[in-house]
Amino acid sequence: MKLKWTHGAALLACIAMSGCGLIGGGGKAPKGQVVATVNGEEITITELNREMGGASPANAQERKAMEQAALQTIINRKLVAQAAKEQKLDKTPAFAQQELQAKEAMLVGAIQRKVAATVQDPPRAEAEKFVAEHPNMFAQRRVMVVDQVIAGKFDPKLMKEFEPLKTLEEIEAVLTREGVDFQRTTTVLDTLNAPQGLSETLLKLPPGEVFVFPRGNAVFVNQIRDSRIVPFTGDRAINFAIAGLKQIRTQEALNREVESLRKAAGEKITYNDKYKPEKPKPGAKPAAPSAPAAPAAGATT
């Protein structure tokens, strides 16, 4: 029987407490590198530290509290996992597929980290040049407060009706009349992190202009309420550029790795006739193989 979230939460709360009768009891106390056992399955210091994610507590008391929280999380997870195995949930086709995907994702991550380790930081002069050539990201960086109306897909003919409208309230009136579900929200757009093409387009818009763009199964109708220049300069900007350029180089290196692997595989990649990719048209340049995205450089403000 599939448990609802509330029941699952109650289960996890229960198994975190010795009073539920699932933890504690007989057996010798773990020693050395083993910090706890759960039905005979050991939890080591290495596993505990990994759960803490490299956190650096300020003092011994804080570390103790973090260790306990992390340890109880591991215990909860092991108990639930053990229960799933006892119920043979790990023998289902769905689980086998998810397990395969998770393992492949871990292996891909290992390759990504190996390739990324070979990519050197670009020189400071290159980062300075990048900063100078992208004023919209740095010296003239803008932070925009954008009001939005988010609607599900609707008849494209409505787009023509939107063209003369000047406010989101007028847009909402049309959507309401047509029975289109929508919601009103506000977001912040930062040209430091926005795609360059989008930033250039927005900066050319007249003040208060309503603009529309689709994303997935939704349509976003937007109006910039406020826009101000927030320069991003100095060493922080240079370091950000270095990280961004390194990310680009890492992604390029990953793409080359994928291309190399595909060439090496050659005819070992075979297809069911129904799923064969179309042959490129004469003169058309084949699409470059893409690797899973490299970790993004952290945004900053």
Side-chain angles (χ1 to χ4, degrees), residues 157-210:
K157 293 179 181 178
L158 286 182
M159 296 295 291
K160 198 71 177 175
E161 192 169 343
F162 288 164
E163 288 181 4
L165 304 184
K166 301 297 183 183
T167 69
L168 294 188
E169 287 72 22
E170 292 174 321
I171 298 290
E172 289 177 323
V174 174
L175 294 173
T176 299
R177 185 196 70 208
E178 297 296 323
V180 178
D181 289 335
F182 65 87
Q183 62 177 357
R184 183 76 174 260
T185 187
T186 301
T187 190
V188 176
L189 189 147
D190 189 335
T191 60
L192 174 65
N193 300 306
Q196 186 174 353
L198 175 61
S199 296
E200 291 174 352
T201 298
L202 296 184
L203 293 175
K204 293 176 182 178
L205 290 175
E209 183 80 1
V210 172

Side-chain angles (χ1 to χ4, degrees), residues 185-256:
T185 187
T186 301
T187 190
V188 176
L189 189 147
D190 189 335
T191 60
L192 174 65
N193 300 306
Q196 186 174 353
L198 175 61
S199 296
E200 291 174 352
T201 298
L202 296 184
L203 293 175
K204 293 176 182 178
L205 290 175
E209 183 80 1
V210 172
F211 58 99
V212 182
F213 62 85
R215 185 193 299 168
N217 293 321
V219 176
F220 291 71
V221 186
N222 311 267
Q223 188 172 41
I224 298 173
R225 183 204 307 170
D226 180 57
S227 177
R228 55 195 175 92
I229 295 178
V230 183
F232 185 46
T233 57
D235 285 342
R236 290 174 64 236
I238 299 300
N239 291 336
F240 184 89
I242 288 173
L245 289 169
K246 184 173 182 179
Q247 177 188 337
I248 293 172
R249 304 288 160 73
T250 299
Q251 192 61 50
E252 291 171 346
L254 288 169
N255 288 342
R256 289 193 297 270

Side-chain angles (χ1 to χ4, degrees), residues 56-284:
S56 300
N59 52 58
Q61 184 177 4
E62 185 178 331
R63 178 172 183 82
K64 185 68 174 178
M66 292 181 66
E67 284 179 342
Q68 279 300 309
L71 180 56
Q72 295 308 315
T73 297
I74 297 173
I75 290 172
N76 290 353
R77 186 168 63 240
K78 289 191 179 295
L79 281 166
V80 175
Q82 290 170 1
K85 286 183 178 181
E86 288 175 3
Q87 297 173 36
K88 300 189 183 302
L89 299 180
D90 59 331
K91 304 300 182 184
T92 64
F95 179 86
Q97 183 62 40
Q98 291 172 346
E99 184 178 40
L100 176 61
Q101 290 175 337
K103 185 174 182 179
E104 288 177 344
M106 291 172 64
L107 291 169
V108 168
I111 286 286
Q112 286 181 324
R113 290 188 293 273
K114 181 181 178 181
V115 172
T118 67
V119 179
Q120 296 182 345
D121 288 347
R124 183 180 178 90
E126 185 178 348
E128 291 173 342
K129 183 173 182 289
F130 182 87
V131 169
E133 291 176 347
H134 294 80
N136 290 341
M137 292 179 62
F138 298 99
Q140 296 298 314
R141 167 199 180 193
R142 281 187 175 271
V143 175
M144 307 176 187
V145 179
V146 183
D147 289 328
Q148 291 183 328
V149 171
I150 306 174
K153 285 192 173 180
F154 47 76
D155 189 337
K157 293 179 181 178
L158 286 182
M159 296 295 291
K160 198 71 177 175
E161 192 169 343
F162 288 164
E163 288 181 4
L165 304 184
K166 301 297 183 183
T167 69
L168 294 188
E169 287 72 22
E170 292 174 321
I171 298 290
E172 289 177 323
V174 174
L175 294 173
T176 299
R177 185 196 70 208
E178 297 296 323
V180 178
D181 289 335
F182 65 87
Q183 62 177 357
R184 183 76 174 260
T185 187
T186 301
T187 190
V188 176
L189 189 147
D190 189 335
T191 60
L192 174 65
N193 300 306
Q196 186 174 353
L198 175 61
S199 296
E200 291 174 352
T201 298
L202 296 184
L203 293 175
K204 293 176 182 178
L205 290 175
E209 183 80 1
V210 172
F211 58 99
V212 182
F213 62 85
R215 185 193 299 168
N217 293 321
V219 176
F220 291 71
V221 186
N222 311 267
Q223 188 172 41
I224 298 173
R225 183 204 307 170
D226 180 57
S227 177
R228 55 195 175 92
I229 295 178
V230 183
F232 185 46
T233 57
D235 285 342
R236 290 174 64 236
I238 299 300
N239 291 336
F240 184 89
I242 288 173
L245 289 169
K246 184 173 182 179
Q247 177 188 337
I248 293 172
R249 304 288 160 73
T250 299
Q251 192 61 50
E252 291 171 346
L254 288 169
N255 288 342
R256 289 193 297 270
E257 180 73 12
V258 172
E259 183 177 11
S260 175
L261 292 170
R262 291 185 68 92
K263 285 182 178 179
E267 295 181 356
K268 294 179 182 178
I269 301 175
T270 61
Y271 296 91
N272 179 311
D273 287 342
K274 293 182 179 180
Y275 296 91
K276 281 184 178 180
E278 295 182 3
K279 291 183 179 180
K281 297 179 180 179

Side-chain angles (χ1 to χ4, degrees), residues 3 5 31 35 58 113 123 135 154 213:
L3 294 175
W5 168 248
K31 295 181 180 180
V35 298
R113 290 188 293 273
F154 47 76
F213 62 85

